[in-house]
Each structure stands twice: as structure tokens, then as C-alpha cells.
Amino acid sequence: MSSPETARRRKQEVKARAAEPNHMFGYCRVIGCGKPARAGTDDGLDTRFCRSHAEHYQRHGSPFKRSYTGQELSPYRRAALKWLKTNAELFWVKNAIDRVRGLYQSAGPHIEAFRLRGLSPQDRAKAHWARMRKAEIDPAQVVAAWLAVEMITADDPQSVRTREFAQVQAAKIVHRMASGTHKRWEREVADPDWSGLRTKTVIEEKHWYPRSRGRVLRHIGADIEQAVELLAQHHLSEITASMAR
């Protein structure tokens, strides 16, 4: 393990490199952008994209393709869930459901969303599965999320066919299923209507939501793909055909 002094020096070196433009990286790789890549400015070390496209890539899994909306995904998710319930006894359906349950059970202890700071992306992904377990989210919902992404990607004439994009799209769906920590409590305060002679009960709430972006989405998406990929290989065409009935 590195010492605090080594870590401090490393941080300073990276900061200095990020602040020094490298003019070999003059343009963002997105066609038609025209802006310099972040490594070509004093704004970072990214040699591929400008700041706006780098941010888009972190959130959506593609530097130019937006995420599918809930409305766009809804019919695919409904069709996938209906098919899963109808065919719950099929071997590969049981296999996928069991694999998602395995993610829940191997995730470790539940961690509140406001305690995630400082954790690695992989540990944050595990914490997400622990939140899913605590919220008792049906594993079939997770399976349906991946199947929905596979189907909508196949139907989209301008789709991005990379595994990373599919993983991020599925992860964003699943991330919303149990994304935050919510606290609610009561306390007694002086009642101004009675000049402080009486008290009243005040209800306070606070909500914490982890960011839906970055490497944590890639870890969650990879977990989902590994759980569902065999089911998709064997039955995706059947599930897609069921939408037309």
C-alpha cells in the first residue's frame, strides 16, 4: 500500500499533467465536433473526447448516442416480463433468475447511499446489489431489463451495438429500481403560534441518490449481462416474436 506522501505526490503529478495541454490531441473523435480533446487543453487527460462528449460517454455509454427513455423501453420490458412469467419453468429462465439472486446474496452488507464516498466503482456496484436485495426487487425485473435493451437495440435503426452501451443502458434501468437511501424522522420544535409555550411535531425527510454514471454502471451492466446472456442466446428471438402477438 502506498504511503500518504506517495499518494500526494502522485496526485500532484496527475494534476500537473492534466493542466498541461498536449497538442497532439487536437480534436475530439466525435465526427463533426471540432472541439479539442481534453488532453489537448488544460482540462484533463482524455485523449479521445472533448469535455461535453466525455461527460455524455460517462452517463450513457456512448459519446453521441443518448440513453433510451423509460417510455421507449416500457413495451419491451413489459413483453419480457410477460414472457418470463409464462415460461418460468424453462431451464435458462431459472438459470438467469438464480444468477441475479446470486448477485444479491454475494453483494455483502447493505450500505446506505450516503456512505458510498471513497468506495471503488466495483464496491459501489456491490452496494447497489445489496440495496436491490434490501428493497426485495424481483430478480425477474433485472432479467427483463437486459432483454429489453437487447430487443430495443435490435429494433433501433441508429443503434449502438457495443457491449458497453448495452451494459450501461441495462444498468441505468436497474439502478433506478433501488437507487437511493431515504430517511424520515420526527422532532419536537417550539410552536411559534403559541410563543414557544407549546411544541409541535415536525416531520423531516432527507434523500440521497448515488450518481448514475461512470465505471459503476459498467460493473453493474457487466454483472447483468453475465447473469442473462445464456437466456438471451437461447430465447431472445422467441421473446421478440412474442411482442408481435
Side-chain angles (χ1 to χ4, degrees):
M1 183 179 294
S2 61
S3 67
E5 179 61 24
T6 301
R8 186 184 64 81
R9 285 202 305 269
R10 173 62 178 163
K11 185 176 181 179
Q12 289 177 340
E13 290 172 3
V14 172
K15 185 176 180 180
R17 286 170 55 203
E20 182 178 353
N22 186 334
H23 299 293
M24 290 183 63
F25 306 103
Y27 295 100
C28 175
R29 291 189 185 181
V30 175
I31 296 174
C33 176
K35 297 178 182 177
R38 296 181 73 182
T41 69
D42 60 357
D43 190 35
L45 298 173
D46 192 337
T47 61
R48 298 176 299 170
F49 307 122
C50 65
R51 184 180 184 87
S52 61
H53 284 115
E55 291 285 342
H56 195 280
Y57 172 65
Q58 287 294 312
R59 289 194 299 269
H60 303 284
S62 166
F64 53 87
K65 176 76 172 177
R66 66 166 176 80
S67 292
Y68 296 114
T69 66
Q71 185 176 6
E72 291 168 337
L73 286 161
S74 182
Y76 295 94
R77 292 178 65 188
R78 286 198 303 268
L81 274 173
K82 182 179 179 180
W83 188 91
L84 289 170
K85 291 179 180 178
T86 303
N87 298 276
E89 296 305 313
L90 288 179
F91 174 80
W92 293 115
V93 173
K94 290 182 177 180
N95 177 269
I97 296 293
D98 287 344
R99 284 172 177 263
V100 174
R101 286 201 183 101
L103 291 172
Y104 289 4
Q105 297 307 317
S106 63
H110 175 259
I111 301 175
E112 305 283 6
F114 54 83
R115 300 186 188 278
L116 296 176
R117 184 183 296 273
L119 296 182
S120 68
Q122 188 170 13
D123 287 339
R124 284 173 175 249
K126 288 184 177 180
H128 170 74
W129 292 120
R131 288 197 302 275
M132 295 282 285
R133 181 187 66 223
K134 183 177 177 61
E136 299 182 347
I137 302 298
D138 184 355
Q141 294 279 358
V142 178
V143 176
W146 180 264
L147 297 173
V149 170
E150 291 273 24
M151 289 189 287
I152 196 172
T153 301
D155 285 349
D156 184 357
Q158 295 182 323
S159 65
V160 173
R161 299 299 179 96
T162 65
R163 302 320 298 161
E164 181 180 19
F165 182 73
Q167 289 170 359
V168 170
Q169 294 305 298
K172 288 174 77 70
I173 298 171
V174 172
H175 195 267
R176 289 192 291 267
M177 294 178 185
S179 65
T181 294
H182 313 281
K183 297 291 185 180
R184 186 176 186 272
W185 63 93
E186 298 179 355
R187 65 188 183 94
E188 296 293 322
V189 299
D191 189 339
D193 294 336
W194 289 85
S195 302
L197 298 176
R198 292 187 179 182
T199 61
K200 65 178 181 178
T201 302
V202 175
I203 298 175
E204 296 186 357
E205 296 181 354
K206 193 162 186 180
H207 308 277
W208 295 265
Y209 295 95
R211 291 183 179 180
S212 178
R213 55 169 293 164
R215 288 166 56 197
V216 64
L217 290 181
R218 277 73 176 171
H219 285 292
I220 294 172
D223 288 342
I224 301 169
E225 181 178 18
Q226 290 172 11
V228 188
E229 60 182 344
L230 292 176
L231 170 61
Q233 287 175 15
H234 287 84
H235 295 291
L236 184 62
S237 59
E238 296 175 36
I239 303 169
T240 303
S242 71
M243 289 191 65
R245 296 172 190 166

